[in-house]
Amino acid sequence: MNKNILVSIFIFSLKFGTAQPGHENMPASTAPEQSWWNLLHYTIDIKPDYNNKSVTGSNSIEFRALRPGRLLQVDLMQPLSIRSVSWNKSPLQFERKDDVYLIQFPTLIKTNELVTITVLYEGKPKEAVNAPWDGGWIWAKDKMNRPWMSLACESPGAKIWLPCKNVLYDEPDSGVNLNITVPDSLVGVANGRLVEKISNPDRTVTYCWAVKNPINDYDICPYVGKYVNWHHNYAGLKGNLDCDYWVIDYNKQKATTHLMEVDTMLQCFEEWMGPYPFYQDSYKVVESPMAGMEHQSAIAYGNGFENGYNGKNLSGTQWGLKWDFILVHESGHEWFGNSITAYNPADSWIHEGFTKYLETIYTTWLFGKEAGNEYTLGIWKRIKNDEPIIGSGTSDQYNKGCALLHMIRQLVGDSAFKKMLHDLNKTFYHQTVSTAQILQCMNQSSEKDFSTLFKQYLTTTQVPVLEYYFKTDSLHYRWTNCVEGFNMPVEITVGKDKDFFINPFTSWQKLLISKEYTGTLVINSNFYTGSKESN
């Protein structure tokens, strides 16, 4: 994607939106068959067949008409197919176009009319080959050769396994009921709270789970395996938080000890961002046949109950092996990704950049500020600058997004940065948002303007360069390799002087200094920039 298009996307996002439950954040490209109705609730019944790698199920989709409409779009990825659609016990006509189903109502649905359709479907869903990096159903076996099932669908969305409204901007305002029917030798786990367990005549069991809060579609997830669980109350900012842990039976002893870290992590995150966002739906860790995923109130955990990432140190520093990467990262998404959700995939850095920076927050919480800074600089070595962050799927949405936030923290200080995170989570609690809204809230919270920083680090691959030269008793400096108007203050050391801030612009600035200190300039390493001495 070329630079001009990306800048246009950024400017477009600056003018766009608010959040759930309205559609003010709806992308301009939204299909008209999706834009006229607001999603309220899903009631999902799913029965996986491990031997045939197939599923049968239904989804009752409740919505309210925002304006009159008659043709409605539901998404479902091939090779799954819809068997029937009904409304008020009568069948509806539908037509398939690739992964889209267009459903025809016999009469015009009126504005504010409340409607529930029931969609029956079946087939063999796409199988994940390398979950969670590719989407699909996971048909695995545990170490005792027993079925172990789940799914990953962050990139394609829930349409990979479920007939749904496959968008980020419109979440079911009243949550989801997910009923999983499995052989009575297995256990079904999902988001929210277990409300009922039904034993069926055919030696199957249906586990009924209820989510009360809005939830983005790729977070809805069934897990099936030989699970055991235990419960723990965490004394949080909003009272007792129900924490439940579901692991494969042979891992319970090891998991019980390892997952005691959750209390420390929650204490850190609640202090820095405010209350855990889903007290009503509980907090759960569910052992998963993939590395991890931020499934709301039921995070997928597959890190072997050890520190680092599968025993590896992604930061290249000692600190990356001091805590459990998957546990911390996926739990951090409960605030950024699940409660605060990007309305458009182009803005997914909101999920990944903020959550990546929570790793720094947690390292600092445990081991001090220098440790946190060292961890962060280790992460920066993974920045590629291959594509601008907004509008692409580059991994820089994690690491470079982290860099942007770390620099803002240097500019405002810890107290103001913590206030900023609290203000974001209060303002956008359970909402879908744009980059523009995040920027506006951060500006208001700090009483500063980070517009050019956002534009520089999110919409270009350029690393700003501080160009400078010395004269007899003065330092001259300016920003180059940057967007027009780039004006980020930066902390430097000149000679034997203590660190101090300068305020470069894209035009030359002058600072009087002692003659004995001319000739050396070092930028504080906590700023992701370059420097160049000019002749």
Side-chain angles (χ1 to χ4, degrees), residues 407-477:
M407 288 184 290
I408 290 174
R409 184 179 172 190
Q410 310 311 305
L411 296 173
V412 302
D414 283 3
S415 295
F417 190 77
K418 183 184 294 186
K419 177 181 181 297
M420 198 178 290
L421 295 182
H422 275 260
D423 288 346
L424 285 168
N425 279 280
K426 288 178 183 176
T427 304
F428 302 125
Y429 179 76
H430 292 181
Q431 296 184 22
T432 61
V433 301
S434 66
T435 292
Q437 291 171 273
I438 295 293
L439 172 60
Q440 182 182 31
C441 184
M442 292 175 72
N443 285 350
Q444 289 176 345
S445 178
S446 63
E447 298 182 349
K448 296 182 182 296
D449 186 358
F450 301 112
S451 299
T452 63
L453 274 74
F454 268 52
K455 190 173 183 181
Q456 179 71 43
Y457 289 98
L458 298 179
T459 72
T460 83
T461 59
Q462 297 169 292
V463 178
V465 173
L466 183 68
E467 186 177 6
Y468 67 93
Y469 65 90
F470 293 95
K471 284 193 174 180
T472 305
D473 59 352
S474 60
L475 168 66
H476 298 254
Y477 51 86

Side-chain angles (χ1 to χ4, degrees), residues 483-523:
V483 298
E484 184 178 354
F486 186 67
N487 60 352
M488 181 176 72
V490 66
E491 191 172 22
I492 64 170
T493 302
V494 176
K496 298 179 181 178
D497 279 345
K498 294 182 178 179
D499 295 348
F500 61 95
F501 276 91
I502 57 174
N503 293 279
F505 298 95
T506 52
S507 57
W508 286 107
Q509 307 293 309
K510 177 181 177 180
L511 178 68
L512 295 177
I513 59 173
S514 301
K515 294 179 183 179
E516 60 185 291
Y517 294 161
T518 59
T520 60
L521 182 149
V522 178
I523 298 176

Side-chain angles (χ1 to χ4, degrees), residues 58-63 72 74 82-94 103-106 115-121:
S58 66
N59 189 10
S60 293
I61 303 171
E62 181 183 357
F63 67 90
L72 178 143
V74 167
I82 290 178
R83 291 165 42 200
S84 66
V85 184
S86 60
W87 172 52
N88 291 338
K89 299 183 180 180
S90 298
L92 294 177
Q93 299 296 314
F94 58 89
I103 299 167
Q104 181 81 41
F105 288 93
V115 176
T116 300
I117 62 171
T118 299
V119 182
L120 274 60
Y121 72 107

Side-chain angles (χ1 to χ4, degrees), residues 389-408:
I389 290 174
I390 288 184
S392 76
T394 175
S395 62
D396 280 0
Q397 63 184 306
Y398 294 80
N399 304 316
K400 197 172 176 183
C402 168
L404 170 62
L405 297 172
H406 191 63
M407 288 184 290
I408 290 174

